[in-house]
Amino acid sequence: MRFSQLFVNTLKDAPKDAVLKSHQYLMRGGFIQQVGSGIYNFLPLGKKLLDKVRYIIKEEMDKTGAQEILMGFVTPADLWRESGRYEKYGRELLRFVDRKDNEFVLGPTHEEVVTFIAKNGVKSYKQLPIHLYQIHTKFRDEVRPRFGLMRGREFIMKDGYSFHSSFEDLDREFDVMEQTYKKILERIGVDFKIVEADSGAIGGSGSKEFMVLAPCGEDTIVVCKNCEYGANVEIGSRALRVSPRPNELRYDKNPPKAEFARFYTPNIKSIESLSEFFKVDRFYLLKAVVKKAIRANGSFELVYGFVRGDDEIEETKLLNTINRVDSSFLSLEDAELEEMTQVGLEAGFIGPYGLGHITQSQYIYFDESLREAQGLICGANEKDYHFVGVDLDTFENLNFVDIAKAQEGDLCPKCQGELYYTKGIEVGHIFKLGTKYSHAMNAQFLDKDGKIQDLIMGCYGFGVSRILPAILEQKSDELGCVWGKEVKLFDLAIIISNVKDNTQNEFATKIYEECKARGIDVLLDDRDERFGVKMKDFELLGFSFALIVGKGLNDGRVELIKRKGLEKFELQCDENTLENLLGILGRNS
Ligand code: ATP
Ligand code: MG
């Protein structure tokens, strides 16, 4: 490829709304072009990178026996009604009608469509397992599309779906996919962490996310200093807490000694003021959190979570907990003061005594770390009063569940090592779906004994377009793009310093032709531009190497620059130039 023929416009400045470096470089490098909020065109260089990602994914997926298909981007709403997700998916699902008033959605994910395929194609256990995948456009009407390709509305995903006759076989495939994603990310060339994850609106029993580690990542992951444990903070757990975190300790680390009593605490409503009032560490205070759980139809229930005073509620865990009772809840919001007053609660003084009786709520939960907790201080459900000397083990039928956020300094649930936080960009997510979709949509098979069973499913998503900004967030430098191992932009760019110089032109063109013949993905920068402009483009676009054919040629020398780290190599111009050049590229890529 000759640069003079390449369709690319590089820009000096990025658009104002581009805050992340990946977004700035993708726009300045002319890889992509925005056409609407969260909607992008891929221009030739962007498409070239995307194709590299697709190629790696296809190669690794096909090796496992998965088969590539292409499903309709537009999906009849009826399929989504069958699964029950038409209402439940919320406003990210773009719904529309055709000229005959038939209803459709733009696929944000394809469980429904693929289940329809399996329902019509699978009859017997003998056909199983089957794994079908596609690399295709998705649409999600995200509330805040941002950061360019990182969170688009229209984006490209690889989504795979597997069908099994037993849960053991699903587990096997899930492990195969974990290994496959690992391989894909290693080939792409990024540092990543595999973490336990929430299954969200897609549902199912177990899931793992693949996080590219980068400070701008929108996900917080909790990781053990000592072992492999890692989880999205949304579901991350921890070992049972038995004492306050040493670095947060305010008062005595031992439980306060007090007989059970009702105590006058005028206007002491917050955990901070309560801790100061009694000179007791927050660990021994019972924090009550009241949330509004909202259904798709807009109705809501108040739900109650108790955690230790130095802990926080993790909303995802609380939402999952109540959805196990009634799966119609979509989200949680803070309850308004008025809403609490209406059910007879004294905000600031809420406690467990008589709470079920006052509120009639079936959604009252205590965090695991409160199991057998003694010497606590809690609200008395009466204005200006708290109870001291509270032992939760004297209560009957309390619901203890893991609803608190695992924090830095807490201990690992696997090995008791110390936990810390880091940031990740979610580029992949794999799920064990079980029979959720097949059951709802009647996708069944005949088992060995001739009995009808629901198909057992797994699903496996990978953010094909998101991986490009993820690579850049991790690898790029202050000059521009640095790409990954196999996802890269040209192996070599040959830059002719002065195109009006015949010797430079002839030498560069000869090397260019030879490289092409040797299968090197090579670009000849033959533009009639200043040398500085060409170098800036090399740095901004991130070609793997640049061979500078300039004045040094008169002394029989050319210079090779590796984009990553800008390492320089000098080459003599003789009969071995090409071999030496290829040798350096081979050893250093
Ligand atoms: P997120 O939490 O970032 O919104 P998600 O959990 O909703 O993502 P999945 O449903 O698990 O996403 O989709 C599989 C993969 O598709 C994700 O791991 C991610 O890489 C990619 N993806 C999801 N939403 C977007 C988006 N709006 N833009 C680009 N890629 C996306
Ligand atoms: Mg996800």
Side-chain angles (χ1 to χ4, degrees):
M1 183 85 218
R2 285 173 183 263
F3 208 139
S4 56
Q5 288 158 11
L6 193 62
F7 181 64
V8 60
N9 292 302
T10 53
L11 306 171
K12 240 177 141 171
D13 299 307
K16 282 198 193 64
D17 68 326
V19 287
L20 292 189
K21 60 178 183 174
S22 58
H23 188 187
Q24 293 168 353
Y25 292 157
L26 285 169
M27 296 295 290
R28 282 185 51 206
F31 295 97
I32 55 169
Q33 175 189 47
Q34 184 169 6
V35 268
S37 165
I39 305 175
Y40 292 86
N41 290 329
F42 284 84
L43 300 178
L45 292 183
K47 178 67 167 58
K48 186 175 169 81
L49 289 160
L50 210 54
D51 282 350
K52 300 238 160 155
V53 181
R54 296 177 88 117
Y55 176 83
I56 297 169
I57 292 177
K58 178 162 176 59
E59 204 170 71
E60 294 300 329
M61 287 301 294
D62 289 353
K63 268 189 214 164
T64 70
Q67 300 169 61
E68 189 173 1
I69 56 171
L70 206 52
M71 293 181 264
F73 177 38
V74 172
T75 308
D78 280 348
L79 282 183
W80 280 71
R81 290 215 170 81
E82 269 184 55
S83 74
R85 277 207 296 186
Y86 190 68
E87 287 76 26
K88 180 128 194 187
Y89 206 88
R91 300 193 61 192
E92 271 185 30
L93 184 65
L94 188 68
R95 304 152 166 96
F96 61 98
V97 291
D98 68 6
R99 65 169 83 196
K100 293 178 185 150
D101 277 343
N102 295 313
E103 294 173 294
F104 293 91
V105 307
L106 278 188
T109 171
H110 277 71
E111 284 78 8
E112 283 74 4
V113 185
V114 82
T115 305
F116 172 83
I117 295 177
K119 176 177 173 171
N120 290 291
V122 177
K123 305 283 174 238
S124 148
Y125 74 95
K126 289 185 196 146
Q127 293 167 277
L128 299 171
I130 293 174
H131 189 144
L132 304 173
Y133 76 95
Q134 64 172 351
I135 297 171
H136 201 15
T137 304
K138 294 275 178 282
F139 191 93
R140 293 183 185 179
D141 201 355
E142 300 267 357
V143 213
R144 277 192 304 281
R146 60 188 188 279
F147 308 143
L149 298 183
M150 198 78 94
R151 183 168 300 283
R153 292 199 298 165
E154 187 181 283
F155 59 97
I156 298 172
M157 200 203 283
K158 169 257 149 187
D159 45 330
Y161 307 86
S162 65
F163 297 89
H164 308 270
S165 57
S166 73
F167 282 92
E168 294 71 43
D169 199 48
L170 168 62
D171 291 347
R172 178 202 51 75
E173 186 70 6
F174 189 83
D175 292 345
V176 170
M177 280 302 122
E178 179 172 345
Q179 293 310 317
T180 302
Y181 275 37
K182 229 168 131 174
K183 193 73 200 296
I184 291 170
L185 287 167
E186 280 163 8
R187 287 182 61 179
I188 288 172
V190 280
D191 293 331
F192 62 96
K193 175 105 191 152
I194 304 175
V195 301
E196 291 176 15
D198 179 47
S199 300
I202 290 182
S205 61
S207 86
K208 285 189 178 176
E209 284 169 343
F210 295 75
M211 296 286 186
V212 169
L213 301 173
C216 76
E218 289 187 280
D219 286 275
T220 299
I221 54 188
V222 36
V223 182
C224 177
K225 279 190 180 159
N226 186 49
C227 75
E228 284 289 285
Y229 180 74
N232 193 312
V233 75
E234 293 173 344
I235 60 126
S237 60
R238 58 187 185 180
L240 187 71
R241 289 189 71 201
V242 289
S243 56
R245 295 178 195 97
N247 60 339
E248 292 178 358
L249 189 66
R250 307 256 175 100
Y251 298 101
D252 191 1
K253 84 180 205 326
N254 298 309
K257 290 193 181 64
E259 291 293 303
F260 178 74
R262 179 166 159 273
F263 220 95
Y264 182 53
T265 49
N267 219 15
I268 304 293
K269 292 181 173 177
S270 69
I271 289 291
E272 297 302 324
S273 55
L274 194 63
S275 167
E276 223 168 89
F277 184 87
F278 283 106
K279 306 272 179 280
V280 162
D281 195 85
R282 296 174 309 163
F283 181 77
Y284 299 105
L285 309 180
L286 193 61
K287 187 196 276 184
V289 179
V290 187
K291 295 275 176 189
K292 235 158 68 172
I294 306 188
R295 296 194 177 86
N297 63 13
S299 68
F300 71 87
E301 297 277 343
L302 290 186
V303 302
Y304 305 86
F306 288 94
V307 292
R308 289 190 179 267
D310 58 355
D311 270 336
E312 303 289 334
I313 286 275
E314 174 47 62
E315 285 198 4
T316 305
K317 292 183 184 179
L318 184 60
L319 184 62
N320 288 345
T321 303
I322 59 173
N323 268 327
R324 282 194 285 273
V325 181
D326 168 354
S327 65
S328 64
F329 296 108
L330 285 187
S331 62
L332 294 179
E333 278 176 20
D334 287 341
E336 304 289 334
L337 189 60
E338 213 173 89
E339 288 156 350
M340 292 193 250
T341 314
Q342 263 172 18
V343 292
L345 292 171
E346 264 309 329
F349 302 93
I350 298 171
Y353 288 91
L355 185 64
H357 188 71
I358 299 168
T359 64
Q360 301 298 317
S361 174
Q362 54 168 330
Y363 302 106
I364 301 173
Y365 300 98
F366 293 78
D367 184 60
E368 278 293 348
S369 72
L370 290 162
R371 216 181 260 278
E372 294 164 31
Q374 297 190 337
L376 295 175
I377 299 175
C378 69
N381 289 327
E382 183 182 352
K383 188 169 166 20
D384 291 341
Y385 283 93
H386 280 85
F387 287 122
V388 301
V390 172
D391 293 348
L392 285 184
D393 55 8
T394 60
F395 284 74
E396 271 173 22
N397 301 324
L398 294 188
N399 274 319
F400 289 100
V401 278
D402 178 13
I403 49 169
K405 183 179 262 151
Q407 297 196 28
E408 289 196 290
D410 287 344
L411 302 184
C412 172
K414 294 241 161 88
C415 78
Q416 306 271 326
E418 196 181 322
L419 297 175
Y420 68 97
Y421 284 172
T422 180
K423 291 283 181 185
I425 302 169
E426 182 196 319
V427 294
H429 197 168
I430 60 176
F431 301 78
K432 292 180 187 175
L433 290 177
T435 57
K436 176 174 165 153
Y437 295 91
S438 53
H439 186 73
M441 296 177 68
N442 287 319
Q444 293 154 335
F445 69 101
L446 281 181
D447 72 9
K448 268 201 221 60
D449 308 319
K451 275 219 292 274
I452 295 176
Q453 305 271 11
D454 294 330
L455 284 162
I456 295 163
M457 292 173 61
C459 89
Y460 318 91
F462 191 96
V464 177
S465 49
R466 182 181 280 183
I467 192 73
L468 298 183
I471 298 172
L472 290 182
E473 285 305 325
Q474 198 174 74
K475 307 250 161 252
S476 65
D477 59 19
E478 63 290 345
L479 298 172
C481 300
V482 176
W483 295 105
K485 204 159 146 200
E486 284 186 49
V487 175
K488 55 187 175 180
L489 199 58
F490 296 107
D491 302 326
L492 176 69
I494 302 173
I495 299 180
I496 308 173
S497 175
N498 175 8
V499 286
K500 299 202 173 82
D501 180 324
N502 275 341
T503 334
Q504 289 184 17
N505 243 326
E506 270 167 32
F507 181 85
T509 309
K510 181 168 161 276
I511 298 270
Y512 168 66
E513 293 299 343
E514 286 170 350
C515 282
K516 270 207 309 195
R518 297 286 286 265
I520 301 289
D521 187 15
V522 59
L523 179 77
L524 181 65
D525 195 343
D526 57 345
R527 293 174 299 166
D528 187 7
E529 289 281 359
R530 282 184 296 114
F531 175 66
V533 170
K534 299 186 193 183
M535 279 304 285
K536 282 234 148 29
D537 281 345
F538 156 63
E539 289 159 356
L540 173 64
L541 296 170
F543 306 132
S544 309
F545 284 88
L547 183 71
I548 315 295
V549 181
K551 287 203 189 98
L553 192 62
N554 298 331
D555 310 323
R557 281 181 292 107
V558 285
E559 192 179 49
L560 183 68
I561 306 176
K562 181 174 177 176
R563 176 63 188 87
K564 186 178 176 192
L566 299 175
E567 194 182 343
K568 292 186 174 151
F569 305 83
E570 188 147 292
L571 284 165
Q572 300 301 324
C573 303
D574 52 28
E575 67 279 9
N576 295 324
T577 311
L578 182 70
E579 292 311 321
N580 291 340
L581 172 66
L582 298 184
I584 298 175
L585 297 191
R587 283 192 299 279
N588 289 280
S589 51

